[in-house]
Amino acid sequence: MDPSKKPQIRAWQDNFEQDVFSQIRRYRLMQICAVSALGLIATLLVARGITFIIFTAGLGFLLLALGLAFKHKVLASAYILLGSMTAMLFALALTGAGLFDLAILGYPALLIFAAILGGGGLFLSVLLFVLAQCIFVTWLTLHGFITPHIPTLSWSHLLFIMVIFVVTGFSVYILVQDIKRLMLSLQSENAKVQQGQAEIQHLAHHDTLTNLPNRFYGEELFVKSLANCGAKQQKLALLFFDLDNFKPVNDALGHAAGDQLLEQLARRLSEMLLADHYLIRFGGDEFLLLAPYTPGRGQLDHLAETLIQQCASEFEILHNKVVISASLGIACAPDDGTDFKQLCRRADIAMYQAKKEGRNTYHYYDKSLDKASDDKFRLLQLLRRALIEEQFQLYYQPMITLNSDDIIVVEALLRWPQADGSMIGPDQFIPLAETSGLINELGRWVLQQACLSCALQRRLGFVNLRVAVNISVMQFKDGQLQHIVETALHEAGLPPEALELELTESLLIDQTEHIQQQLKELSELGITIAIDDFGTGYSNLGYLRDFNATTLKIDRSFITSLCVAEHDEPLVKAIINMAASLGLKTVAEGIEDEATLKKLISLGCDIGQGYYWSKPVPQDVLSELLRERQK
C-alpha cells in the first residue's frame, strides 16, 4: 500500500466511527426524551399548583430537546435535556421537602443520561452540578431560607416514584444493552482477529499454490519429527526431489498448466503418504519429504521408488496428456547430520548426482559427493580469479588439407596452466563456467585472443591462415555474440572470412530460431560455421541447411578406431559422402597414424587434425610450426 494513503484511510475510519457513535447517541437521546416526556405527562395528571407549573415547563423543554435531536442537533439537545431536568428537579426540591424530596431520586437518572449521551467531561460536569445543588439546598434549609414541606403520603406520590423508577430503569436498561452489544461486538472482532491471525500464520507456513508446508515451516516440522524419531528409536530421512522436465511443460502449455501440474502432483503424493510423513514444497518444482524409518535402507528404497513412479505417472493437464519424471536425493538424520539446512544441502547434492546418472532415479548422499561439491566450489573461486588475472592461454592445433598437406586453419583450444606446471582441463572448467555465468566473459577473451593471434600470423606471412573458435550455447543467450565477434575482428584487424565458429551438434537443437537468426547474421558477415563432434548428437540434415554450415568435423571416437573396428568405416564413409552431396567439407579429428590418414584419403575426407601432425601448441611454437610447413 502507498504510505501516503495510510493517513487518509485512518482519517476516514475515524470519521466513520464518529458518525456511527453520533447516530447511536442521537437515537438514545430521542428514546430518553420520549420516555421522560411520557413520564411527565403522567405526573401532570395528578400535579397541582407550583408542581404542575414545574412539570409543564420541564415537559416543554423535553419536547424541545426531542425536536432538536430529531433535527440532528444532538449536542444542543443533550444540554437542554440535562439542563432542564436538573433545573426541574432542583425546583421541585426547593418547593417541596428539600433534600428529602422525591425529586432527589431523579438525580441518578440524570447521571445515567450523562453517561449515555456524553463523555467523561459531560458526566463529571453533571455530577458536580448535582452535588452543588444538593449542597445548596442543604445550606438554604439549614439557614432557614426555605422550609421543607413533608407531604402526606398519597397515590400521587406513588405515581411520582414509579415515573422516576421507570425512567431510571429504562436508562439503566438501554445502558446495559449497549454494554452487552459492545461486549458481543468485541468478542466477534476478537474471533475475527484470531481467525485472521490463524490464516496469516497458515499463509506464512504454507505454499499458496499447493497448500503444502513451505521450507520455513518445514524446518519446524523437521525439528518436531527428529525429536519424535529419537523417542521411538527411529531415523529421519530427507528425500529431496526435483522434476526433470518441468520447464518444457511451462514453455509449451503455459505457466497455468505448470501450476496445475504441481497442484495435481501435490495431491497425488499427499494421498499416498503416511500420517508421520511431511511433504514440503521447497520452491519452484522442488519438493522435500520428511519420512521416519527404521534402520536399514529397504523401507527408504521402496518409498523413493514409489515417489518416482508417482511423478512419472501420466497427468491430465488442459486436455493434454503430460508425462514428467523426477530425480531424488536422500540424506538421513542423524547419520548425515542433524542440522536442517545442512541436510537439505546434502540431499540436494545427492539429487544432482541422480540427475547425472540419467535422471528418473534416486541416490543416497555420501561424503564423496560433498567433497566433489567442495572441489567444484573451490574451482569456481579459482576460475573467477583466473579470469581477472588472465591466467588462461590459447593453444593452437593445425588442420591439414589431405590432398595438399597445407595448414589452412588452426583451432584455438583453451588451456588453464597452474603454478606447478600442471593443467586444468577444459572438460573440468568449461561446464563450470557455463553453469556459473562466466562463459560469456571467458568466451569474449578467447575470441579476442584468437583473432589477435591469427592476425599476427597473417602479418608474419601466413596470409591465408584462418582460426577456428569453439562457441558455447550459453554465448547465444543474450544475443550479443555478433557484437562481440565484430569487436574482436575490428580490434585485431582480421577479415571475417578468417574466422570460423565451431558449434557442437547438440547445441543446434536448443532454441533453434534464436540461434539460427544469430548464425545467419554472422554468416552474412563472411564468418564460416563448422559443426563439431558430428555423429554424436541429434543428427538432422535440416539444420545443416538452416544454420549455413560449411564444414562437418567427424568426432574422434569414429576416427581413432577406424582401422580397428569394421563398423566405423561405413559410418565415416556415409558422413563424408553426405557432406559432399550437401557441398560441405569434412574434417576428421583424432588422426594419430599414417594408416588412418590413408584410409581417410581413400574415403574422400578433405581435412585432417590430430597428433599425427601436431599436438596443440602455444602461439610462439605455432609460428615455428607454420614456417616449417611452409618450406
Side-chain angles (χ1 to χ4, degrees):
M1 180 184 292
D2 187 351
S4 63
K5 294 183 179 179
K6 289 184 178 180
Q8 299 175 8
I9 294 175
R10 183 59 187 169
W12 179 85
Q13 290 175 337
D14 292 342
N15 292 335
F16 177 76
E17 291 171 358
Q18 290 175 2
D19 289 344
V20 171
F21 177 72
S22 178
Q23 288 296 329
I24 294 174
R25 187 170 64 167
R26 173 175 172 268
Y27 184 58
R28 294 289 175 259
L29 185 57
M30 293 175 67
Q31 285 180 315
I32 292 171
C33 287
V35 172
S36 300
L38 290 174
L40 288 181
I41 291 172
T43 58
L44 284 173
L45 297 175
V46 296
R48 298 291 183 270
I50 188 65
T51 303
F52 183 85
I53 295 172
I54 294 173
F55 282 159
T56 302
L59 179 60
F61 280 108
L62 277 177
L63 294 175
L64 175 61
L66 180 61
L68 290 172
F70 185 77
K71 295 290 186 180
H72 294 274
K73 299 184 182 300
V74 177
L75 185 61
S77 175
Y79 275 107
I80 290 174
L81 169 66
L82 295 172
S84 63
M85 289 298 98
T86 304
M88 184 184 72
L89 295 175
F90 181 66
L92 289 172
L94 286 177
T95 59
L99 200 61
F100 298 102
D101 196 86
L102 296 176
I104 299 300
L105 296 175
Y107 280 141
L110 289 179
L111 294 174
I112 295 172
F113 292 168
I116 294 173
L117 301 176
L122 180 60
F123 175 80
L124 185 61
S125 299
V126 173
L127 176 61
L128 293 174
F129 192 36
V130 167
L131 293 175
Q133 286 182 346
C134 292
I135 294 170
F136 186 52
V137 169
T138 302
W139 184 84
L140 290 175
T141 303
L142 292 176
H143 286 79
F145 289 103
I146 61 171
T147 302
H149 300 285
I150 306 300
T152 304
L153 183 63
S154 65
W155 290 106
S156 61
H157 293 101
L158 177 61
L159 179 62
F160 294 157
I161 292 174
M162 291 175 65
V163 168
I164 291 173
F165 283 174
V166 168
V167 173
T168 304
F170 176 75
S171 303
V172 171
Y173 175 79
I174 61 175
L175 178 60
V176 170
Q177 289 301 112
D178 284 345
I179 292 173
K180 285 182 178 180
R181 277 190 288 270
L182 176 61
M183 293 300 294
L184 290 174
S185 176
L186 289 175
Q187 289 177 356
S188 176
E189 288 300 319
N190 184 53
K192 290 179 181 178
V193 168
Q194 290 179 345
Q195 182 181 359
Q197 288 176 339
E199 291 176 354
I200 291 171
Q201 187 177 30
H202 182 84
L203 290 173
H205 286 169
H206 291 77
D207 170 55
T208 55
L209 177 65
T210 62
N211 203 36
L212 294 175
N214 57 26
R215 69 167 70 184
F216 305 107
Y217 187 38
E219 187 166 1
E220 294 183 26
L221 295 175
F222 167 79
V223 173
K224 172 184 172 183
S225 297
L226 188 59
N228 290 338
C229 288
K232 297 177 181 179
Q233 302 300 312
Q234 292 180 313
K235 295 185 178 183
L236 182 62
L238 282 77
L239 294 88
F240 192 98
F241 58 100
D242 172 89
L243 304 183
D244 294 324
N245 46 359
F246 179 71
K247 185 176 181 298
V249 176
N250 276 337
D251 293 343
L253 301 179
H255 287 279
D259 290 346
Q260 193 177 122
L261 189 151
L262 292 174
E263 289 180 278
Q264 289 187 24
L265 177 62
R267 286 197 299 270
R268 180 184 293 181
L269 296 181
S270 297
E271 291 171 357
M272 58 157 281
L273 298 178
L274 300 178
D276 57 355
H277 290 180
Y278 293 107
L279 181 64
I280 298 158
R281 187 182 181 196
F282 207 73
D285 60 341
E286 296 177 333
F287 294 84
L288 180 68
L289 177 63
L290 302 178
Y293 72 101
T294 54
R297 289 188 173 182
Q299 185 180 350
L300 284 183
D301 288 342
H302 176 71
L303 179 58
E305 290 168 0
T306 303
L307 284 173
I308 290 173
Q309 288 172 4
Q310 290 293 325
C311 292
S313 299
E314 190 175 73
F315 292 86
E316 178 75 28
I317 305 294
L318 301 179
H319 306 293
N320 291 280
K321 303 292 185 181
V322 175
V323 177
I324 58 171
S325 62
S327 297
L328 192 149
I330 305 173
C332 302
D335 297 344
D336 299 324
T338 57
D339 180 74
F340 178 72
K341 294 183 177 62
Q342 182 186 56
L343 284 168
C344 286
R345 185 182 71 84
R346 290 177 173 177
D348 185 49
I349 291 172
M351 182 269 291
Y352 274 102
Q353 182 62 30
K355 284 186 178 292
K356 291 179 181 178
E357 293 175 358
R359 306 190 175 198
N360 197 34
T361 187
Y362 64 94
H363 197 283
Y364 285 91
Y365 166 82
D366 61 63
K367 292 183 179 180
S368 64
L369 296 179
D370 223 3
K371 182 180 183 304
S373 179
D374 291 342
D375 291 345
K376 183 178 178 181
F377 177 78
R378 285 193 292 270
L379 184 61
L380 179 59
Q381 306 313 305
L382 293 173
L383 182 61
R384 295 183 190 279
R385 189 183 312 129
L387 268 172
I388 296 172
E389 299 175 359
E390 295 187 356
Q391 297 176 7
F392 297 98
Q393 291 182 8
L394 282 185
Y395 277 51
Y396 299 90
Q397 187 173 34
M399 300 184 196
I400 313 296
T401 54
L402 300 186
N403 59 356
S404 64
D405 207 32
D406 293 329
I407 297 177
I408 55 169
V409 184
V410 291
E411 181 180 3
L413 298 169
L414 189 59
R415 296 292 183 263
W416 186 5
Q418 301 301 295
D420 60 1
S422 63
M423 289 276 189
I424 297 178
D427 58 329
Q428 291 180 270
F429 66 83
I430 292 296
L432 186 59
E434 290 179 331
T435 56
S436 64
L438 298 176
I439 192 63
N440 284 340
E441 185 178 352
L442 185 58
R444 185 195 303 269
W445 183 85
V446 170
L447 276 167
Q448 290 173 341
Q449 296 303 312
C451 289
L452 288 170
S453 177
C454 185
L456 174 62
Q457 298 298 339
R458 289 167 74 100
R459 286 195 298 272
L460 292 175
F462 312 108
V463 293
N464 295 319
L465 186 69
R466 302 172 64 243
V467 65
V469 178
N470 291 278
I471 299 295
S472 165
V473 65
M474 304 304 294
Q475 292 175 258
F476 287 91
K477 297 289 186 181
D478 60 4
Q480 296 297 310
L481 182 59
Q482 181 180 349
H483 173 70
I484 293 171
V485 169
E486 289 178 334
T487 301
L489 291 172
H490 176 73
E491 291 177 352
L494 189 69
E497 57 270 16
L499 177 63
E500 182 168 273
L501 300 180
E502 292 190 3
L503 316 176
T504 59
E505 187 179 5
S506 57
L507 176 150
L508 304 179
I509 308 303
D510 187 28
Q511 299 185 6
T512 303
E513 293 183 5
H514 181 60
I515 294 176
Q516 181 178 342
Q517 180 61 33
Q518 293 183 69
L519 290 177
K520 179 181 178 183
E521 293 170 354
L522 289 168
S523 296
E524 291 173 352
L525 291 176
I527 295 166
T528 57
I529 307 297
I531 308 302
D532 197 10
D533 302 331
F534 187 81
T536 60
Y538 302 91
S539 300
N540 185 327
L541 299 181
Y543 67 62
L544 298 179
R545 178 189 66 251
D546 295 338
F547 293 101
N548 303 309
T550 60
T551 306
L552 291 186
K553 298 189 72 175
I554 307 172
D555 188 70
R556 68 178 62 248
S557 61
F558 302 117
I559 304 302
T560 53
S561 59
L562 184 60
C563 295
V564 179
E566 296 181 358
H567 61 273
D568 281 340
E569 182 176 338
L571 180 58
V572 172
K573 183 177 181 180
I575 294 174
I576 293 172
N577 291 337
M578 177 199 68
S581 66
L582 294 173
L584 305 177
K585 293 186 177 298
T586 48
V587 178
E589 298 180 290
I591 301 175
E592 297 183 2
D593 53 65
E594 188 172 357
T596 302
L597 172 61
K598 290 181 178 179
K599 176 68 71 176
L600 286 167
I601 293 174
S602 68
L603 293 176
C605 184
D606 300 300
I607 302 169
Q609 179 181 0
Y611 285 8
Y612 178 75
W613 293 283
S614 172
K615 294 181 178 181
V617 296
Q619 179 173 296
D620 54 348
V621 178
L622 176 63
S623 299
E624 297 177 9
L625 180 63
L626 291 173
R627 279 194 293 270
E628 290 176 2
R629 301 288 300 183
Q630 202 176 41
K631 294 178 182 178

